[in-house]
Amino acid sequence: VEFEGAHLIPGDTLSQPFSRIVGRPFNPDSAELCLEKLLTLYRGRGYSLARIDTALFDSVAGTLHTTVNEGVIQSIDVQGGTRSRDPFVLAEFPLRPGDVFEIEKAKHGISSIRSTTLFEFVYLEVAYLPRGPALTIRLRERPSQLVRIGLRADNERGLQGMLDVRDENFQGLGTELGLNLNGGSRNKKALLEFKAHRLFTTYLTFTV
């Protein structure tokens, strides 16, 4: 058995499912079963979009030529964002075009995008192009431009009011810009703040 396009798993490991048919007359059903076991090896390691492109038997040489597509990502698209910019969304997703698709990394990426709390839902769609999978991250944004109003009354400071005007997805980059006014006859406070929960592609944050 010869393999083409297989780089992630050693050849001797890939050959193991075929050990019981090597040296015997070619049987299509047995060969198909071995190919399914080959895909099981990939999926057991998290390469869940690997597939067999071709499997051709050379009866003269007695060789089964197998071409494997290990699931190299061709493109990643973002759909459904109105204000959020694609680079902000993709910064939270650990896979890039040219990478081999790994299910655990994809799950972690979708979870990271959800954890920004800016979206009502986020999910991943996969389409298989002739050369490999194309990923689409579909999402729906929550309202991010908010006005909050509050009142408080007690016997120490009397009646106090609060007004908070805020954009929690400023410029579509996941940053936050807000103005907070609160107080009453005995106390007053004004706060203008700008926050970034993630600075560029790092895990640093800042608040001004």
Side-chain angles (χ1 to χ4, degrees), residues 20-202:
R20 69 185 188 90
I21 66 171
V22 173
R24 298 185 178 185
F26 178 74
N27 181 293
D29 293 336
S30 298
E32 184 176 358
L33 182 61
C34 293
L35 292 171
E36 291 176 358
K37 290 181 178 179
L38 175 64
L39 290 180
T40 300
L41 283 176
Y42 274 95
R43 288 166 184 157
R45 288 164 170 77
Y47 306 119
S48 55
L49 295 185
R51 70 177 185 178
I52 306 298
D53 278 348
T54 58
L56 301 174
F57 180 64
D58 183 345
S59 59
V60 176
T63 301
L64 179 64
H65 298 279
T66 304
T67 304
V68 180
N69 187 323
E70 295 182 314
V72 177
I73 300 169
Q74 299 302 305
S75 64
I76 304 177
D77 192 22
V78 180
Q79 295 289 336
T82 304
R83 303 187 65 221
S84 297
R85 299 186 185 182
D86 290 0
F88 162 66
V89 176
L90 293 174
E92 300 290 339
F93 196 72
L95 295 171
R96 298 288 179 267
D99 293 344
V100 174
F101 181 86
E102 296 181 58
I103 187 64
E104 291 304 320
K105 287 186 177 181
K107 288 179 179 178
H108 175 74
I110 295 300
S111 177
S112 295
I113 297 171
R114 285 197 190 108
S115 69
T116 64
T117 69
L118 297 175
F119 306 103
E120 291 184 6
F121 65 77
V122 183
Y123 65 90
L124 185 67
E125 286 184 355
V126 179
Y128 230 108
L129 303 178
R131 296 183 59 192
L135 309 184
T136 301
I137 301 172
R138 295 200 179 274
L139 46 81
R140 178 184 292 170
E141 297 172 343
R142 298 181 188 275
S144 61
Q145 296 173 316
L146 309 172
V147 177
R148 299 181 177 95
I149 298 173
L151 290 174
R152 173 192 174 104
D154 58 43
N155 59 1
E156 180 181 354
R157 297 188 177 182
L159 184 65
Q160 300 178 84
M162 185 274 289
L163 174 66
D164 187 83
V165 182
R166 190 166 301 273
D167 187 344
E168 295 182 336
N169 191 12
F170 183 64
Q171 296 295 310
L173 295 173
T175 55
E176 187 174 327
L177 179 66
L179 173 65
N180 183 278
L181 304 173
N182 61 73
S185 59
R186 300 188 60 184
N187 66 302
K188 294 178 178 62
K189 179 181 178 181
L191 175 67
L192 177 65
E193 59 182 354
F194 179 66
K195 298 179 181 179
H197 301 288
R198 184 169 179 180
L199 183 59
F200 304 113
T201 58
T202 72

